[in-house]
Amino acid sequence: MGAFTFKGGLHPYDGKDLSKDRPIKTVLPKGELIYPLSQHIGAPAVPVVAKGDRVLKGQKIAEAAGFVSANIHSSVSGTVKAIEPRLTVTGATINSIIIENDGEYEEIEYQKVKSLDQLSKDEIRNLIKEAGIVGMGGAGFPTHVKLMPKDDKAIDYVIANCAECEPYLTSDYRRMLEEPEKIVSGLKVILKLFDNAKGILAVEDNKPDCIEKLNQIVQKEDRIEVVSLKTKYPQGAERQLIYASTGRAINSSMLPADAGCVVNNVDTITAIYMAVCEGKPLMHRIVTVTGNAIKNPQNFLVATGTNYHELIDEAGGFTEEPAKIISGGPMMGFAIYDLDVPTTKTSSALLCLTNDDVAELAPSACINCGKCVEVCPGRIIPSRLADFAERHDEASFEKYDGMECCACGCCSFICPAKRQLTQSIKSMRLLVLANKKKK
């Protein structure tokens, strides 16, 4: 096996004590629910309902518009109020289906499921596709596409990303602690697709209780093992996770499948279990609402489409007006300016802080200390790449492997000059990718 860690990385304050001991609490939405038609990488879904239609919980309301796209299902029963552009957490206005919740939660009659042994590989993939499952760790890539590599037999490892290295987030931790059987069962579903693969539950060693529970469940499973990883950020990043778990390395031009691996997040694997073993589509996810500006940090089981304001209210409101609100964690999440936005399939956390440390710091000139190089998991030179980005020097940026940046934020975090290294490099990466598409 691999080294159980990777070169670089760091140990920021993790803030997990605020919410890690709070069991998952179900939140029933109160007002209208908003379902953006683009909650995933790829083509936006196409509505299959119209204004005035009554829909049931679990009903498909939008259909995938291509191979790389995903279905969307209603998480409540109610009436379609409108189909119109609405604001989302990214700051973009996206065409959305708005449903007025009738509070009855009347569900469709789900199709009777077969036992896993009776299902073919194509049937499993189709069930996952129909359920609208996407990568719920944040990327939002349609899962059925990820589970269709060119060569099934070349996949040696199916890795369950149980690291949850991002500070403050505890949703995966609670899922592992409270519903480990669903995770293992979901992993077994994926293993059914890859005859030669071994399953790995990759957990950071700061979660010994989760490691113990998972080990108890898989002790009789020949094809699944629990791997304890060193606690370090960004251990849960796909490239770092693969290297730590298997010793195999990939770069920005490769997919995990090129190294014989398939990686899925804990919530994604649970959604696969729900789709294949219970016949239910993706309608809920766990969201951590936390930070020192929140009265009662919690882990909520949230219906997709639920307004962020409702989650704040369920957590007791603010202790004081937050200086910064982040969708996701502090390292890879992004600041939002309006809470009147819906929870989507990729919403992992809502972090509310009383201080905006980044805004209070004034960047200064690079002092050539090399700390950004020491912590960079991509083994690149962030300070130099940021200089190229600021000069719009695409050729030099690519020559010095700027595309290998995973935007983890380690360089910005450690920089004594407080330069916005990650932001500069990330912007340049997007520009390079956009220009390549034009060619």
Side-chain angles (χ1 to χ4, degrees), residues 341-411:
V341 291
T343 303
T344 64
K345 297 176 184 181
T346 58
S347 303
S348 60
L350 190 58
L351 175 60
C352 304
L353 303 171
T354 55
N355 295 312
D356 186 350
D357 295 334
V358 175
E360 293 171 0
L361 298 170
S364 58
C366 175
I367 61 172
N368 296 311
C369 66
K371 287 185 177 181
C372 61
V373 180
E374 290 177 8
V375 300
C376 178
R379 315 312 296 157
I380 51 181
I381 309 174
S383 57
R384 183 175 293 174
L385 291 170
D387 289 339
F388 294 144
E390 289 165 8
R391 297 201 299 264
H392 302 286
D393 185 349
E394 287 188 43
S396 296
F397 184 84
E398 289 194 74
K399 179 182 176 182
Y400 283 86
D401 297 322
M403 302 309 288
E404 297 305 312
C405 173
C406 66
C408 66
C410 287
C411 55

Side-chain angles (χ1 to χ4, degrees), residues 27-41:
V27 174
L28 294 178
K30 301 177 181 66
E32 65 179 24
L33 287 95
I34 301 170
Y35 303 89
L37 294 172
S38 185
Q39 301 184 35
H40 50 265
I41 291 173

Side-chain angles (χ1 to χ4, degrees), residues 149-150 154-156 242 248-262:
K150 292 179 182 178
I155 301 300
D156 300 315
I242 289 172
R248 299 183 179 187
I250 63 172
N251 57 40
S252 62
S253 64
M254 299 169 64
L255 295 171
D258 296 328
C261 299
V262 170

Side-chain angles (χ1 to χ4, degrees), residues 162-210:
C162 308
E164 196 168 48
C165 63
E166 180 80 26
Y168 288 94
L169 274 61
T170 55
S171 56
D172 288 351
Y173 171 76
R174 293 310 311 181
R175 179 75 84 180
M176 286 186 279
L177 211 56
E178 296 182 46
E179 299 182 321
E181 297 85 1
K182 289 183 179 180
I183 300 168
V184 174
S185 296
L187 183 55
K188 289 167 73 173
V189 170
I190 303 174
L191 287 172
K192 180 80 185 288
L193 301 174
F194 305 108
D195 298 332
N196 302 327
K198 183 175 185 177
I200 295 176
L201 293 153
V203 192
E204 283 192 324
D205 58 13
N206 65 344
K207 305 174 184 68
D209 43 0
C210 295

